[in-house]
Amino acid sequence: MNLAKISANGQITVPAEIRRLLELKSGDKILFYQKPTGEIIIENASTQAIYKAQKAFSGVAESLGVANEDDVQTLVDEIRYGKE
């Protein structure tokens, strides 16, 4: 169990063990949200943004016919230089 004290300004110091678990560095942002069960979740905001982006792009590569790095390069070339 880790304990943090809230300052008069509402600030807390995230315990070192939790910073390591969340891979937090100086200047990172943390995300607080409440689950429908009432449980409060704390996450690394950068990690959550990556998960959200991955979910948003899920299936896009397949729909564009992109299966490997060569397909990515072909798509980039088509966008840069027009379809050949």
Side-chain angles (χ1 to χ4, degrees), residues 61 64-84:
L64 293 173
V66 175
N68 56 44
E69 289 182 28
D70 291 335
D71 292 342
V72 171
Q73 187 60 54
T74 299
L75 184 60
V76 169
D77 291 343
E78 287 176 1
I79 293 169
R80 282 186 182 160
Y81 310 114
K83 292 192 178 198
E84 295 180 13

Side-chain angles (χ1 to χ4, degrees), residues 18-81:
I18 302 302
R19 290 194 310 266
R20 280 191 295 277
L21 288 170
L22 295 176
E23 299 179 5
L24 294 169
K25 299 176 290 311
S26 179
D28 282 353
K29 294 182 180 183
I30 54 176
L31 177 66
F32 297 85
Y33 64 93
Q34 185 174 13
K35 287 182 156 185
T37 61
E39 182 181 11
I40 303 296
I41 304 296
I42 301 171
E43 292 185 345
N44 181 328
S46 298
T47 303
Q48 187 61 25
I50 290 169
Y51 291 145
K52 189 174 181 179
Q54 285 176 329
K55 186 176 179 181
F57 288 111
S58 177
V60 173
E62 291 85 3
S63 70
L64 293 173
V66 175
N68 56 44
E69 289 182 28
D70 291 335
D71 292 342
V72 171
Q73 187 60 54
T74 299
L75 184 60
V76 169
D77 291 343
E78 287 176 1
I79 293 169
R80 282 186 182 160
Y81 310 114

